[in-house]
Each structure stands twice: as structure tokens, then as C-alpha cells.
Amino acid sequence: MTVQIAPSILSADFAALGAAIAAAERGGADLIHVDVMDGHFVPNITIGPPVVKSIKRVATVPLDVHLMIEEPDRYIDDFASAGASMISVHVEVLPHLHRTVHAIKALGVRAGVVLNPSTPIVMLEEIAGDVDYVLVMSVNPGFGGQTFIPRSVSKVRAVRDLLDRAGNRSAPVEIDGGIDIQNVARVVAAGASIIVAGSAVFHSADAERATRELKAAATAAASLPAR
Ligand code: DX5
Ligand code: ZN
């Protein structure tokens, strides 16, 4: 299993995003995770398509856009045009999730679905064969720097099993929230292969080094046989 590291710029200095992204990329970032929040689905407000477009100009790795917004269908085109390579949407806000997933794919963008910590995996049962990846939230979305919810480890394992049973072995499980050098091996061992990390990277003294160390720990865990 190949593991990808996706530093979340939510915890970076927004006045110096270009430098933050460059440091993460030097450390081996495989993706840049972009958190979009609307003040409705989650309490916080962050950024929209114009900022994604600017980031796209400087990033050399694909942009992984996580939409924590109430009406994602209204904005998918804009984020795709702005340069998103991956767009994930929360199952909690979408009564027509199948339509949304296929609308994202029709734009040539990888489509991910996200589960909040309290959302059961059964919500994915009918869509597991259609998605390009599943994002398991290991904190309640809205803010960086929160504490990892331990139950997320078994949830990652169960989502991995569901995707495998649906014949969607190539679809990775992404994990987001409270990941650091202490717990990354555990989530990788459970089957997570896209690792988001915000404060562990950008609140460290050296984002390049933090990215490199996280990737090394994740890669080492991925090479172990059992999970
Ligand atoms: C939380 C966001 C995360 C956040 C992770 O709502 O979706 O991507 O940036 O930050 P850390 O790694 O600090 O929990
Ligand atoms: Zn996120």
C-alpha cells in the first residue's frame, strides 16, 4: 500500500500560503489538503474558489479540496475550474449523494465522500462502488488542532472492508483530524492511505521536516504485513 501525505493549509499562515505549500512539498507532500468551510455546516469560515485558484498556480502537487459546506452542488463547478483534482463532500448534507458523486466525476475530478465521527458507515453502503475515495473524519470538522477520536481507527478498518467488498479496492481511505507522529502508524495499519495533517505540520517549527517525518512513519507502517 502506498501512503500519501496531505498537509492541510488550514493551520498555515494564510498571509504566506505559497511558502507554506513549498515547504510541505519539499518535505514530500503528495497532495495539498484545502479545507473549505461556510459557517453553516461547520461553525468556521475559511476560503473559496478564488483562493484555490491562486494556490493552484503555486502548488506542484494535486489539490485535495474538502468541502465542509451546506450546498456543495452549487459550488462543485467553481472548485473544479479553480484547479481541484479531488473534491470531497459530506454525506450528512446530501440527499442525492449518488448524483453529486457522478457530477464531480463528470468534471474529471476525483470524487470523495466524507463521514463525520457520528455518521454510521452504513450511509456508504449503496455508494461504495461509485466513489474514488472515502474520507473518515477523526475530529468533528470545523477547526484544526483538535484531539484525535480513538474510535476512528476501527472506523477506518470498517470503511476499508466495505470498499473492498464493493469491489472498489483501488479507492483509498483518507483520514483527517488530529493526526500526528504518535498516531499515524495506527491509522495506516487500519487501512488509511491518505493522511491529512494540519497542525502537526504547520504548527511545528519546521513544516518541511514535519512532513518528511510523518511520511516516513506512515510509509514504515504501510510496509508491515498485518493490519
Ligand atoms: C478539520 C479539517 C482538517 C484540519 C485538520 O475540520 O477538515 O483538515 O485542518 O487539522 P489537524 O490535523 O490540526 O487536526
Ligand atoms: Zn479537512
Side-chain angles (χ1 to χ4, degrees):
M1 184 174 75
T2 307
V3 188
Q4 294 190 300
I5 301 294
S8 163
I9 55 163
L10 183 63
S11 296
D13 175 1
F14 274 34
L17 280 182
I21 290 166
E25 289 179 345
R26 284 194 307 275
D30 300 284
L31 305 164
I32 296 296
H33 185 84
V34 182
D35 288 305
V36 176
M37 306 184 186
D38 66 352
H40 291 274
F41 177 60
V42 291
N44 202 1
I45 300 176
T46 57
I47 60 165
V51 177
V52 173
K53 194 173 173 188
S54 296
I55 292 169
K56 179 65 186 169
R57 279 205 302 272
V58 298
T60 62
V61 298
L63 303 184
D64 165 28
V65 175
H66 175 193
L67 297 184
M68 285 159 277
I69 63 179
E70 255 177 16
E71 293 188 73
D73 293 320
R74 289 174 55 192
Y75 300 99
I76 284 163
D77 278 15
D78 290 346
F79 283 105
S81 309
S85 295
M86 303 162 64
I87 294 178
S88 57
V89 293
H90 274 259
V91 306
E92 298 85 6
V93 297
L94 286 164
H96 309 294
L97 184 59
H98 181 274
R99 183 164 66 202
T100 304
V101 163
H102 286 278
I104 295 171
K105 288 178 149 189
L107 295 168
V109 173
R110 288 172 73 201
V113 295
V114 194
L115 297 176
N116 275 338
S118 67
T119 304
I121 296 162
V122 69
M123 296 298 284
L124 300 181
E125 195 77 37
E126 304 300 326
I127 197 85
D130 297 72
V131 299
D132 292 316
Y133 59 103
V134 173
L135 171 45
V136 173
M137 287 308 303
S138 41
V139 297
N140 290 291
F143 303 95
Q146 301 182 81
T147 303
F148 179 80
I149 298 171
R151 192 179 163 81
S152 314
V153 176
S154 59
K155 196 170 189 183
V156 165
R157 192 172 286 117
V159 169
R160 181 66 270 156
D161 288 346
L162 172 62
L163 288 167
D164 291 350
R165 273 190 279 118
N168 202 353
R169 291 179 182 281
S170 62
V173 178
E174 178 172 22
I175 187 141
D176 182 6
I179 300 295
D180 58 23
I181 197 78
Q182 310 297 332
N183 58 23
V184 67
R186 262 193 296 151
V187 296
V188 170
S193 57
I194 302 177
I195 310 299
V196 178
S199 49
V201 169
F202 293 113
H203 287 176
S204 75
D206 182 342
E208 175 183 342
R209 183 172 162 190
T211 304
R212 188 174 296 118
E213 290 178 353
L214 209 52
K215 189 167 179 170
T219 304
S223 68
L224 298 172
R227 70 176 177 92

